[in-house]
Amino acid sequence: MRTLIRSATVVDGSESPRYDADVLIDDDRIAAIITEPADSPTADRVIDASGLVLAPGFIDMHAHSDLQILLTPVHPSRITQGVTTEVLGQDGLSYAPVTPEVLAVVRRKIAGWNTDPSDFDFDWRSVAEYLDRLDRGIATNVAYLVPHGVVRALVVGWDDVPATAAQIAEMQTIVARAMAEGAVGLSAGLTYTPGMYADNDELLALCRTVASYGGYFSPHHRSYGAGAIEAYAEMVDLSARSGCPLHLAHATLNFGPNRGRAPELLALLDAATAAGADISLDTYPYLPGATTLSAILPSWASAGSTEETMARLTDPDALARIRHHLEVSGSDGCHGVVAEWGTIEISGVTHQDLDHHVGRTIAQIAAAEQRDAFDVCVDILLRDELGTGILQHVGHEENVQAIMRHPRHTGGSDGLLVGSKPHPRGWGTFARYLGHYCRDLGLFSLEECVGHLSGRAATRLRLADRGFIRPGFAADLVLFDPETVADTATYEQPRTAATGFTHVLVRGQFALDDGELTGVTAGRSLRRGPDGGVQ
């Protein structure tokens, strides 16, 4: 099928000035870009794009749709905001590679990210098999990071023990196999178990393996609160020593100790880049973060299985230690700071009899029930079997704006799609960049903003034929009205589609047509090839 997009304002992802053109699509490829007056080529369909911007489909560099995209392949949260490619496998925890035993634990550990349906067929074990499952039909394209925490669980287990040299070598073999099967890099969750138990010798060895395959390292580093700058510096040093390109996941500076400290982080990154480091980062354009309630527990309390953690939550001596970490000394699971109960809002629960807590903070629940806030937290964790999702209202707008303007910045939603009131970033991130921060606040030009959301990300991923509007490239494209594009998802109504997007094409097929979802699932896995390129 041939489609002609006529009279579009082309913003091509390269951050070069916009221009007017007709763009011809032949099946799944951009066939021609016509900038001079000429006879219109024949086409099966012609779209009048007068007043609209044509951009490369956006790339979500930090998505948590690993299971949700299979449960809801039409994937409205991303398609309605112009996303055509996502990077999954984030924060060191995902569903491949696994054994049945490891999968059973992973499913429960990240139920707050993706739910844990009992009737779903997890019919894969390897990365290749997971990517094959995606290829049966999904709305967006997907690239995958090998999750370090799962690799560690396969070899070392879920407990706080150092890896031996033999175990590190075995982990390297698993990572190498996953890279050979198409993964684009390695993720790590260094405030989540079991990833937080890894020392830098372990991470260094794995990063060297990833670098040998042309991949990159994307860590959720050891703290976004107390010691955050030092935690960033640790990852920069690890990248330098391993020779592995570094992509900093959700590169924020949250919590009270980090107010106004973005210039320190940016100076660190600029100095490393000037010295030859290959560093990029992603952020979401909101203040609150999102995770699971169990994630704030100290690492020793989260060791092992769900049942072991819950047993500690009923043991008086263990509870006293947990309370001390959360309310006095600071919990490593809570980024080294004490839990501020007034900032922790319940966003979703696994057991629906707890749904009345959604939308309220721990402090609000405690006040309403005239109970101690720590006791409320423990009670919810036990009754919900650790499956509770939360928002943490701990961000700083000056940090958010400074970091998003960095020349190595890309867009990532970090969007969790489950729960009664998930974070609105799952539905609004890319529209919010274009509308609020680009058009309304003028933090960057439209060309630069589109580059953040497409070309820069494609360069990091080494995508062979995506991220830019060029002849011969894949027809992953988005049309939007720059005057009306806006995020409408809110904390009260987080599942509302962005406005201003008229058409989204994935591999030349319309996933969004005249503002309406079509149900087309033309997306596929994007796999790293022998030369390190991804397609």
Side-chain angles (χ1 to χ4, degrees):
M1 177 173 173
R2 286 162 63 92
T3 301
L4 181 66
I5 300 176
R6 178 179 288 159
S7 303
T9 299
V10 177
V11 180
D12 68 5
S14 70
E15 303 181 45
S16 299
R18 69 193 77 180
Y19 60 90
D20 295 332
D22 297 345
V23 176
L24 179 66
I25 300 162
D26 193 350
D27 291 330
D28 63 346
R29 296 280 145 183
I30 299 171
I33 301 173
I34 306 159
T35 58
E36 299 295 333
D39 292 334
S40 294
T42 59
D44 301 292
R45 179 176 179 185
V46 177
I47 295 175
D48 182 3
S50 301
L52 300 178
V53 168
L54 180 67
F58 302 138
I59 299 172
D60 190 339
M61 287 295 288
H62 192 100
H64 284 285
S65 311
D66 308 46
L67 186 57
Q68 288 299 305
I69 197 171
L70 292 171
L71 295 172
T72 310
V74 175
H75 213 29
S77 66
R78 301 304 192 268
I79 291 298
T80 55
Q81 56 178 316
V83 172
T84 59
T85 295
E86 296 181 279
V87 185
L88 307 182
Q90 303 287 352
D91 295 339
L93 292 168
S94 189
Y95 302 100
V98 290
T99 61
E101 295 75 20
V102 166
L103 176 62
V105 178
V106 168
R107 287 175 57 177
R108 297 191 68 181
K109 275 191 174 289
I110 58 175
W113 294 359
N114 271 284
T115 71
D116 182 20
S118 59
D119 57 349
F120 182 79
D121 185 9
F122 291 83
D123 62 347
W124 66 83
R125 295 294 177 264
S126 69
V127 168
E129 291 169 344
Y130 175 64
L131 297 179
D132 287 344
R133 176 67 180 270
L134 295 170
D135 283 343
R136 297 182 195 174
I138 50 179
T140 63
N141 301 306
V142 165
Y144 189 72
L145 296 165
V146 189
H148 160 257
V150 173
V151 173
R152 193 175 213 273
L154 287 169
V155 177
V156 183
W158 297 95
D159 294 329
D160 184 1
V161 294
T164 66
Q167 288 173 326
I168 291 174
E170 186 176 351
M171 282 189 273
Q172 286 181 288
T173 298
I174 294 171
V175 169
R177 183 181 306 120
M179 294 296 294
E181 291 175 348
V184 299
L186 176 74
S187 78
L190 302 181
T191 67
Y192 297 120
T193 58
M196 63 167 57
Y197 304 139
D199 61 24
N200 279 359
D201 288 340
E202 176 180 327
L203 297 173
L204 180 64
L206 297 181
C207 283
R208 284 173 173 160
T209 298
V210 171
S212 72
Y213 282 87
Y216 69 93
F217 180 46
S218 183
H220 168 123
H221 53 270
R222 297 190 192 275
S223 177
Y224 291 81
I229 299 296
E230 293 79 6
Y232 280 112
E234 179 189 9
M235 296 299 100
V236 170
D237 178 67
L238 186 65
S239 173
R241 290 195 290 142
S242 66
C244 188
L246 177 66
H247 181 83
L248 295 167
H250 37 50
T252 59
L253 280 168
N254 291 335
F255 302 94
N258 292 314
R259 182 179 298 276
R261 298 190 70 188
E264 295 177 56
L265 171 60
L266 301 181
L268 168 68
L269 301 185
D270 289 343
T273 300
D278 183 359
I279 300 174
S280 56
L281 61 151
D282 67 67
T283 66
Y284 48 84
Y286 297 84
L287 297 186
T291 185
T292 59
L293 184 58
S294 63
I296 73 171
L297 296 173
S299 57
W300 62 266
S302 297
S305 67
T306 297
E307 287 74 18
E308 289 173 294
T309 299
M310 291 176 64
R312 296 183 190 105
L313 294 175
T314 60
D315 177 80
D317 292 336
L319 271 178
R321 290 180 62 198
I322 294 169
R323 181 190 286 272
H324 183 81
H325 281 286
L326 285 176
E327 296 192 330
V328 180
S329 64
S331 167
D332 54 0
C334 198
H335 304 279
V337 301
V338 298
E340 298 177 355
W341 301 118
T343 70
I344 299 175
E345 176 186 344
I346 305 301
S347 62
V349 294
T350 301
H351 292 271
Q352 295 311 304
D353 61 327
L354 298 171
D355 201 54
H356 61 286
H357 290 323
V358 172
R360 298 195 293 168
T361 67
I362 297 291
Q364 289 170 333
I365 298 168
E369 298 181 358
Q370 297 185 315
R371 298 174 61 198
D372 174 79
F374 174 79
D375 292 340
V376 168
C377 174
V378 171
D379 180 60
I380 292 173
L381 285 169
L382 288 171
R383 291 174 62 192
D384 211 26
E385 299 180 277
L386 311 187
T388 309
I390 62 170
L391 304 181
Q392 282 187 284
H393 296 270
V394 292
H396 310 291
E397 182 65 21
E398 70 274 23
N399 286 343
V400 169
Q401 292 191 21
I403 293 169
M404 73 168 58
R405 296 182 70 182
H406 192 269
R408 299 297 183 97
H409 172 269
T410 64
S413 70
D414 194 15
L416 305 178
L417 302 177
V418 303
S420 298
K421 290 187 177 180
H423 199 301
R425 66 195 184 193
W427 287 75
T429 287
F430 293 84
R432 187 167 175 80
Y433 271 120
L434 292 165
H436 180 64
Y437 284 102
C438 177
R439 181 192 61 233
D440 299 342
L441 297 186
L443 288 190
F444 22 59
S445 69
L446 181 59
E447 289 86 347
E448 185 182 0
C449 187
V450 169
H452 284 237
L453 308 182
S454 58
R456 293 185 190 180
T459 299
R460 162 52 71 217
L461 290 170
R462 301 183 67 180
L463 297 183
D465 57 359
R466 285 176 166 80
F468 302 93
I469 297 179
R470 294 173 180 166
F473 270 49
D476 290 354
L477 300 167
V478 54
L479 269 172
F480 63 91
D481 184 340
E483 299 303 319
T484 63
V485 64
D487 62 300
T488 65
T490 66
Y491 295 100
E492 287 300 314
Q493 298 292 332
R495 291 186 174 91
T496 56
T499 60
F501 293 92
T502 63
H503 299 81
V504 175
L505 292 89
V506 180
R507 297 176 183 259
Q509 298 188 45
F510 288 90
L512 190 75
D513 197 347
D514 286 328
E516 299 294 330
L517 288 164
T518 66
V520 166
T521 53
R524 296 293 183 270
S525 62
L526 302 176
R527 309 191 191 203
R528 190 205 57 80
D531 64 350
V534 178
Q535 59 183 20

